Amino acid sequence: MAEAVCSFHKDSIVVRSPKASSFLSRMIMLVCAMTCGVYICSICLRQISGQTKTSNKIIDDSCENYRISLRGGAPYVHYPKPQTFHRVECVDNPVRYFVIVSMQRSGSGWFETLLNSHVNVSSNGEIFSVKDRRSNISSIFWTLDKVYNLDWVSSASKNECSAAVGFKWMLNQGLIEHHEELLEYFNTRGVSLIFLFRRNLLRRMVSLLANSYDRHAKLLNGTHKSHVHSLEEADALSKYKPFINPTSLTSELQQMELAAAKALEYFHSTRHIILYYEDLVSNHTKLVDVEDFLGLPHMKLTSRQVKIHKGPLREHIRNWDDINKMLRGTAYQSFLYADDY
């Protein structure tokens, strides 16, 4: 082995290695560094690959859980800030938005009084019966925003204590005409739909014709009432027996069915529940389903409304024999004898 060559200076000693030895040492160090670098890189790549797969799985799982939570209620819970009052101690209490989608004389008025008997529900009636409110989509949106911001004033308003706020919307009041814009509004704003229809469309027709007649006749001491709160008033209104045109009957029943089917088709992608008047009458646990749907605490729901047309249909149709003959053997035969009282 070559000896080191030393040179002396006044204040220091410098040790110099031979050139060959220095070059060889540097080469050895370089090779070792490269080897170590390749090994470390390979380990890191394996770790990164594993972490990426794990991260992707976590992200996918998180997204799925998020989607489930959205479907479960997140976008359907709101904290409105009304302009007309302050929610005081209820400011942190969530509110759900809903709309009762129905047709006239399908039990929606009775159903709404049941909902409004709940201390936390504000259902504001048939607000789009006023034509100006549905004259165009802008006025419709303005009205909806006011209702769901708790700024709509009606006798049903619970104000700061509301946990669910909505109204009734009949199919012939602009809902179907603007279904595309309203579908987007409902889904964007997190509005839940309660479809309420009547299975026995013949009974609905009797109620429609009788109510239309009373608008002009005003049988209750010169006053028209669509709904009554006493047996005496119900008995007085039920004395009128409408005449039903047998020739157009089947066609009219088909149109009613089509209207309901079209509404369900247009708004099937919303969060919704489908109810039938007959089920609500015969099975009061259906109201518990509605409370659960709206995220409400269970309460006994009551209504002061009294049913007008009780008993068999033959007692309420003037030309019963013609109608009975027309519907026998058709898809609507069951309407002749089905009860909802």
Side-chain angles (χ1 to χ4, degrees), residues 133 135-145 178:
R133 296 172 187 163
S135 59
N136 54 62
I137 194 62
S138 296
S139 60
I140 289 175
F141 284 162
W142 183 89
T143 303
L144 291 175
D145 288 343
H178 300 284

Side-chain angles (χ1 to χ4, degrees), residues 149-204:
N149 203 46
L150 303 184
D151 286 318
W152 192 265
V153 179
S154 77
S155 58
S157 300
K158 305 294 195 306
N159 293 334
E160 65 269 8
C161 295
S162 294
V165 60
F167 62 97
K168 293 192 304 177
W169 203 341
M170 303 295 108
L171 298 186
N172 62 351
Q173 293 174 351
L175 181 64
I176 300 302
E177 289 87 338
H178 300 284
H179 67 91
E180 292 181 350
E181 300 96 325
L182 291 169
L183 175 63
E184 182 179 0
Y185 182 96
F186 293 152
N187 285 333
T188 302
R189 294 295 307 274
V191 180
S192 301
L193 271 61
I194 302 174
F195 290 101
L196 175 60
F197 298 122
R198 197 166 184 167
R199 285 198 176 94
N200 194 328
L201 300 178
L202 183 59
R203 282 189 174 272
R204 176 177 180 259

Side-chain angles (χ1 to χ4, degrees), residues 51-67:
Q51 288 176 353
T52 302
K53 291 179 181 177
T54 304
S55 298
N56 286 341
K57 185 176 186 304
I58 292 173
I59 291 171
D60 290 341
D61 289 346
S62 299
C63 288
E64 182 59 29
N65 289 336
Y66 183 66
R67 284 193 290 270

Side-chain angles (χ1 to χ4, degrees), residues 16 25 41-42 65 101 112 139 152 178 204 213 238 241 261 281 290 306 323 337:
R16 293 177 182 166
S25 298
C41 285
S42 65
N65 289 336
V101 177
E112 189 176 45
S139 60
W152 192 265
H178 300 284
R204 176 177 180 259
Y213 172 79
S238 67
K241 297 182 179 182
V281 170
V290 176
V306 177
I323 300 305
Y337 304 104

Side-chain angles (χ1 to χ4, degrees), residues 15 18 44 47 55 61 81 85 89 93 101 135 176 180 236 245 305-306 313 324:
V15 180
C44 291
Q47 289 180 340
S55 298
D61 289 346
K81 296 179 180 179
F85 67 93
E89 72 273 9
N93 290 359
V101 177
S135 59
I176 300 302
E180 292 181 350
N245 186 344
Q305 284 193 14
V306 177
L313 270 177
N324 186 42

Side-chain angles (χ1 to χ4, degrees), residues 185-234:
Y185 182 96
F186 293 152
N187 285 333
T188 302
R189 294 295 307 274
V191 180
S192 301
L193 271 61
I194 302 174
F195 290 101
L196 175 60
F197 298 122
R198 197 166 184 167
R199 285 198 176 94
N200 194 328
L201 300 178
L202 183 59
R203 282 189 174 272
R204 176 177 180 259
M205 183 176 289
V206 168
S207 184
L208 279 170
L209 293 171
N211 186 62
S212 178
Y213 172 79
D214 189 65
R215 277 198 179 93
H216 306 286
K218 297 180 172 59
L219 298 177
L220 296 177
N221 298 320
T223 303
H224 168 62
K225 289 187 178 182
S226 295
H227 307 98
V228 297
H229 300 114
S230 72
L231 292 173
E232 292 76 18
E233 290 177 326

